Amino acid sequence: MTDLSGLRPVWGEVDLAAVRANARVLADLASPATLLAVVKADAYGHGAVPVARAALDAGATWLGVALVEEGAALRAAGIDAPILVLSEPAPAAADAVIAHGLTPVVYTPAGIEALAKAVVDAGSDPRPVHLKVDTGMHRAGCTVDDASSLVDAIAARPELVLEGICTHFAVADEPGHAYTLEQVARFDAVLDDLDARGVRPGLVHAANSAGLLGEPSHRYDLVRVGIALYGVPPADALEHRVALQPVLSLHARVAHVKALPAGSRVSYGLRYELPRAGTIATVPVGYADGVPRNLGLHGGEVLVGGRRFPIAGTVTMDQLMVDVGDTPVDVGDDVVLLGRQGDEEITAGEWAARLGTIAYEIVTGIGPRVPRRYLG
């Protein structure tokens, strides 16, 4: 069969040395708490297996996923570190949780019962679970009032061991927000109640990337680091708390060049007008690859020859156009959409700011049509 890899001149570069450097910095910051590297959503678009291995090499002791399927894929790749499934699996997935040696978060009686039954069916030794308490995010987790009864439900099943208890902060990306302190107070009240009953799980955790960087007193025993591992600050206010290295860059090569007169309009909707005679360079990457359709309409730029040039008009599904003015550009010239070229750099945070979203959405949106090249 003909090898079709590399035919399209578009690729993402994932710097695993940067992953390791970030993991070391974050692990040192979290200490004596341990580090859980969140690699859900294919490691935020960076590649779950290589990123997981790099993070574990550099100090992470746990991995976190959103889906049972994601944990199973890590196991299939030979990764044997503890893997936390961050939301309670559906009862139908309980057998797979046990079969792949995953550690589930639980917060309903049905979830607890399904997992206990799966342990029995598998003939397995008792398996650990983490109880998730909703202290104010209101996305997932048991209520504060129900935590005690669910601890009892877990204790009543000899197939299960309460290894951890956790919650999730809603506004940790706004340092000093009073609501985070309210959540901590509710969580600590649950812990105090369990302490009074002689119950203290070995792993207590609440902090995500923003919590680690912005709320040092709330790190407990484990921190769950996602976006910071990839060198992206979780919020502008936290950008310079530690030195992080961007991990993902997005590259392409010019596919077509065309000289146009002043006043020419470009792309769908004809929303971009050349202010003067110049050159339009077509780049073979588009919104099907994760470049937002309206990025050019909000001032988005790319780098060619170490200089910034505007995206001309609407990004199309497979291509975008760049106004390079009177700068000489040839087919095959390198284009950087995210990353550094010369002295200039375009970050996921810049795209997010232009589009009124967050950098998480940018990096996770770089789709599977973009092959990843792993460096370091």
Side-chain angles (χ1 to χ4, degrees):
M1 182 178 293
T2 303
D3 181 9
L4 301 180
S5 63
L7 296 183
R8 182 180 182 226
V10 175
W11 69 97
E13 290 183 356
V14 179
D15 186 348
L16 297 177
V19 172
R20 294 186 191 95
N22 294 338
R24 290 188 191 99
V25 167
L26 296 167
D28 287 347
L29 184 64
S31 181
T34 56
L35 191 73
L36 180 152
V38 180
V39 293
K40 64 182 181 178
D42 198 29
Y44 292 42
H46 295 67
V49 171
V51 167
R53 288 176 173 151
L56 291 168
D57 286 346
T61 56
W62 280 76
L63 301 172
V65 297
L67 309 176
V68 174
E69 295 90 334
E70 293 173 336
L74 294 173
R75 291 288 187 242
I79 293 172
D80 60 4
I83 299 174
L84 186 67
V85 182
L86 296 165
S87 293
E88 184 179 88
D95 288 341
V97 171
I98 303 307
H100 293 287
L102 309 178
T103 302
V105 160
V106 297
Y107 37 80
T108 69
I112 292 167
E113 289 301 307
L115 287 161
K117 181 179 183 300
V119 174
V120 172
D121 292 345
S124 172
D125 291 335
R127 297 302 305 275
V129 298
H130 291 211
L131 178 65
K132 187 167 192 175
V133 182
D134 176 15
T135 58
M137 176 79 173
H138 303 319
R139 179 178 64 181
C142 70
T143 67
V144 168
D145 291 340
D146 286 342
S148 181
S149 64
L150 288 177
V151 167
D152 290 340
I154 294 167
R157 299 305 306 245
E159 303 86 1
L160 303 177
V161 176
L162 181 63
E163 179 184 57
I165 186 167
C166 60
T167 193
H168 192 72
F169 293 142
V171 288
D173 56 347
E174 300 177 35
H177 198 296
Y179 194 72
T180 300
L181 298 179
E182 292 177 27
Q183 286 192 260
V184 169
R186 295 182 191 122
F187 191 48
D188 284 344
V190 171
L191 299 177
D192 290 343
D193 178 64
L194 295 181
D195 279 341
R197 298 171 53 197
V199 178
R200 181 72 176 196
L203 291 173
V204 176
H205 48 110
N208 52 8
S209 290
L212 171 61
L213 297 179
E215 304 291 345
S217 62
H218 313 319
R219 292 170 186 165
Y220 298 104
D221 305 309
L222 179 72
V223 295
R224 308 182 303 263
V225 171
I227 197 69
L229 181 67
Y230 306 102
V232 179
D236 289 345
L238 299 170
E239 183 172 0
H240 301 296
R241 295 293 174 94
V242 293
L244 298 174
Q245 300 178 27
V247 172
L248 177 68
S249 55
L250 179 60
H251 304 257
R253 293 193 180 97
V254 173
H256 188 60
V257 176
K258 180 177 281 129
L260 293 173
S264 297
R265 292 180 176 272
V266 177
S267 195
Y268 288 127
L270 303 178
R271 293 182 176 90
Y272 184 87
E273 181 177 347
L274 267 69
R276 62 198 181 287
T279 299
I280 290 292
T282 299
V283 183
V285 63
Y287 63 76
D289 305 294
V291 183
R293 182 173 179 271
N294 288 329
L295 180 61
L297 305 180
H298 291 278
E301 297 172 314
V302 304
L303 304 178
V304 183
R307 293 177 55 191
R308 286 175 173 259
F309 295 99
I311 296 172
T314 305
V315 173
T316 71
M317 184 179 290
D318 312 301
Q319 297 169 310
L320 58 82
M321 282 71 84
V322 179
D323 182 356
V324 297
D326 58 4
T327 300
V329 171
D330 294 320
V331 170
D333 283 354
D334 289 334
V335 179
V336 171
L337 294 96
L338 291 173
R340 180 175 291 280
Q341 192 182 62
D343 294 330
E344 290 283 354
E345 183 178 23
I346 296 174
T347 65
E350 177 181 325
W351 281 20
R354 292 186 184 280
L355 296 164
T357 185
I358 57 175
Y360 301 67
E361 185 177 2
I362 300 303
V363 294
T364 59
I366 306 300
R369 295 204 317 178
V370 177
R372 270 57 166 183
R373 300 178 181 176
Y374 291 93
L375 311 178

